[in-house]
Amino acid sequence: EVARLRAALAGNVVTPTDPDYDRARAVWNGMFDRRPALIAACATTADAVAALAFARRHELTIAVRGGGHSVAGYSTCDGGIVVDLSPMKQIDVDPVGRVASAGGGVTWGELDAATQAFGLATPGGVFSRTGIAGLTLGGGYGWLRATYGLACDNLIGAEVVTADGRVIVAGEQDGQDADLLWGLRGGGGNFGVVTRFTFRLHPVGPNVSFAVVFHDGEGDATGRVLRWFRDYCADAPDAVNPIAVCGVVPDDMEMFPEAIWGKRYVMLGALFVGPTDEGERVLRPLRAFAQPLADFSDVLPYVDAQKLWDADYPDGMRYYWKSLNLVRLDDAVIERIVAGARRQPSPLSTTDLWFVGGAVRRGPADGSAVRGRDAVVMLGLEANWEEPADDEPNMRWAREFIAEMEPVSDGSRYLNFAGFLEEGDAALRSTFGAHYARLVELKRRYDPTNRFRLNQNIDPSDQDIASLPSATARLTTLAEP
Ligand code: FAD
């Protein structure tokens, strides 16, 4: 049967007896060392149809892989089939219509390179090696979000292979499935295998003004810097795409002066979309309001800005990331964040404040499954460490810190940074709020038996969709520290 599948695919099939098996089964997060029965490397839509038919026939667990960078390890499994789209690399750019379409295995680095050839881009993340697939389907927060929205907000079409082998075109045009497009904008990999993504493009760069400024984070300094940045972001134009990161300057990293190795920092980062001289002026306060520890701000090609953090996330290390959308960022909330960040057990971890506003707040005109758009900040905790023996304290840090911040959230989180979704349905319900029922209905339509369950899983058998939590009921006051 495997030989027949291999012969049928334009791509390839890898099994445990193949020399290539260990390379083919590896995923980015070293927490997941799983052994699938086979990896179907799909080069075409027909390959994906055949791989899913094989999975149905043998009742195999299905893991779908785009770029292989799921933090929660969703793109691998034990004993099942990995539908690996990494050979699907075709990219077509229409510079006149400002549209790009890309195969399900394309990474952001690849798509950015193709679109930037025309001075265009669609919002991705802040890292070039993640897949366009998982990031877009989960939402997609990046360096262009305030200006042009989340990655999923710019998804205008998709080709989807459903669990029963149908190929459906999602989109807003006549004959396309608009409901499915809505669900793919943030509803994750619940509805099928997306073999092709079509994105709206915007003028970006090719050179952009980019601030990357490391400020002192010792003592009272972190709170001071974050308060200042909060106020700056509140008045900033949508051309400014800001993030603040609290962490510890790594030892032995020569780009930093040795005197600050091991010190706490607050990194203020922002990418400006527009003329670089205007960007330099608008972003100057980030560098000037206090004497920075280190300042890497520059005018650089957008494609290089997208790669700036690539080296910080090596394959095979241990990662556990959580998030929460905060609806307030007053001084007391900042103090809580500062205190939580200080407790990080690993110096490699960071506490990230993704400011929400501009085009993210407005959302796409034709809607999306994503919620949390009224948040002030998407708080992202990246627990990053090296040794398996340190799993427990690092995961506990992120869990406890997030639990402490729940009272100032709207209950929603960014589901691509949702730990391993240990909270299950409860996290999905509170994230999707009033959208949850529509997602369950879509799931019933496209995957009624839940074949696609290794994801931010919407349970099609959920009978309780009338009793949805009220998002606003959670807005309680943060207790005094
Ligand atoms: P994969 O591991 O390939 O897939 C993850 C899941 O997505 C799959 O299990 C499946 O459920 C679904 N999926 C993938 N491909 C398909 C497909 N073709 N059809 C249907 N379902 C599919 N997120 C941000 O928003 N902004 C960032 O800046 C950002 N930075 C990151 C940096 C790093 C180093 C990492 C590891 C992650 C980052 N993320 C970021 C999170 C990222 O969005 C998710 O990890 C995302 O799942 C990665 O996509 P992928 O295609 O590489 O994942």
Side-chain angles (χ1 to χ4, degrees):
E1 287 267 337
V2 169
R4 261 202 297 276
L5 178 66
R6 188 177 279 129
L9 296 193
N12 192 18
V13 175
V14 181
T15 63
T17 52
D18 288 313
D20 209 20
Y21 179 69
D22 281 335
R23 189 206 53 77
R25 75 185 176 88
V27 290
W28 167 80
N29 192 344
M31 303 279 279
F32 300 98
D33 181 22
R34 296 197 170 142
R35 304 186 67 82
L38 69 161
I39 298 138
C42 300
T44 62
T45 303
D47 282 4
V49 172
L52 291 176
F54 185 93
R56 274 197 310 278
R57 228 172 14 256
H58 297 280
E59 296 187 354
L60 293 173
T61 300
I62 301 167
V64 183
R65 186 179 302 170
H69 277 73
S70 164
V71 191
Y74 290 139
S75 48
T76 184
C77 59
D78 278 323
I81 181 169
V82 175
V83 178
D84 175 8
L85 305 184
S86 58
M88 288 192 189
K89 293 290 191 192
Q90 189 172 336
I91 301 174
D92 297 303
V93 181
D94 168 4
V96 177
R98 291 194 175 164
V99 166
S101 83
V106 167
T107 63
W108 282 106
E110 292 158 350
L111 183 59
D112 289 337
T115 56
Q116 277 289 278
F118 302 96
L120 300 169
T122 195
V126 302
F127 178 81
S128 77
R129 292 194 288 126
T130 41
I132 59 168
L135 186 139
T136 301
L137 296 171
Y141 289 72
W143 284 127
L144 302 180
R145 68 191 184 286
T147 319
Y148 297 129
L150 300 176
C152 71
D153 298 345
N154 290 278
L155 182 69
I156 54 172
E159 179 186 85
V160 184
V161 185
T162 59
D164 59 5
R166 284 175 294 154
V167 182
I168 297 180
V169 177
E172 287 284 341
Q173 291 171 19
D174 283 351
Q176 300 181 339
D177 190 327
D179 281 344
L180 183 55
L181 177 65
W182 177 90
L184 295 175
R185 289 178 175 159
N190 273 290
F191 310 111
V193 175
V194 183
T195 42
R196 197 141 191 87
F197 292 80
T198 304
F199 295 102
R200 188 179 295 119
L201 300 176
H202 308 272
V204 174
N207 284 337
V208 291
S209 193
F210 197 29
V212 182
V213 193
F214 286 74
H215 284 284
D216 181 14
E218 296 287 342
D220 298 339
T222 309
R224 219 169 28 245
V225 177
L226 289 180
R227 288 193 296 276
W228 179 86
F229 199 45
R230 169 198 62 196
D231 297 343
Y232 170 88
C233 292
D235 294 333
D238 292 352
V240 174
N241 293 274
I243 186 168
V245 175
C246 309
V248 177
V249 178
D251 289 343
D252 298 330
M253 202 176 258
E254 283 171 7
M255 61 191 272
F256 294 101
E258 195 171 335
I260 65 166
W261 290 357
K263 280 193 180 303
R264 297 200 150 275
Y265 68 77
V266 190
M267 191 282 288
L268 302 185
L271 186 144
F272 183 89
V273 179
T276 51
D277 51 347
E278 188 185 340
E280 209 274 333
R281 183 178 54 73
V282 173
L283 299 181
R284 176 159 289 281
L286 275 62
R287 322 167 61 183
F289 86 97
Q291 178 66 38
L293 296 175
D295 183 356
F296 303 107
S297 305
D298 207 349
V299 170
L300 73 171
Y302 174 71
V303 287
D304 291 348
Q306 287 293 87
K307 292 179 184 157
L308 223 58
W309 269 269
D310 283 9
D312 290 352
Y313 299 100
D315 290 357
M317 225 172 76
R318 304 181 84 75
Y319 302 95
Y320 180 80
W321 296 357
K322 282 189 90 74
S323 67
L324 198 60
N325 289 314
L326 306 185
V327 292
R328 279 183 19 223
L329 194 64
D330 54 35
D331 292 358
V333 175
I334 287 180
E335 283 317 304
R336 276 286 170 92
I337 294 173
V338 172
R342 290 246 158 83
R343 293 196 302 268
Q344 69 184 61
S346 163
L348 302 175
S349 298
T350 61
T351 297
D352 308 339
L353 285 76
W354 301 72
F355 286 81
V356 176
V360 178
R361 177 131 318 137
R362 293 188 292 275
D366 39 4
S368 77
V370 168
R371 280 189 60 256
R373 294 184 186 275
D374 293 328
V376 182
V377 146
M378 188 267 280
L379 178 69
L381 304 184
E382 293 184 6
N384 308 327
W385 69 101
E386 284 172 323
E387 297 300 329
D390 298 330
D391 287 359
E392 201 276 331
N394 282 287
M395 292 168 72
R396 182 152 44 83
W397 167 69
R399 284 180 187 141
E400 291 181 355
F401 189 173
I402 285 294
E404 217 176 281
M405 302 308 297
E406 289 273 1
V408 281
S409 87
D410 62 359
S412 69
R413 58 212 70 222
Y414 177 36
L415 290 174
N416 276 344
F417 302 162
F420 302 155
L421 262 179
E422 299 89 332
E423 307 91 341
D425 283 357
L428 291 167
R429 281 170 166 271
S430 66
T431 290
F432 289 119
H435 291 172
Y436 182 72
R438 185 169 170 190
L439 286 165
V440 173
E441 280 160 15
L442 271 182
K443 181 76 174 173
R444 285 179 185 160
R445 196 187 304 166
Y446 295 109
D447 185 21
T449 57
N450 207 6
R451 299 306 309 267
F452 299 113
R453 67 180 63 199
L454 291 178
N455 48 41
Q456 296 90 333
N457 196 231
I458 308 274
D459 178 1
S461 67
D462 196 331
Q463 297 301 324
D464 196 20
I465 53 178
S467 62
L468 292 169
S470 155
T472 48
R474 306 179 58 89
L475 304 182
T476 51
T477 316
L478 183 68
E480 285 302 312

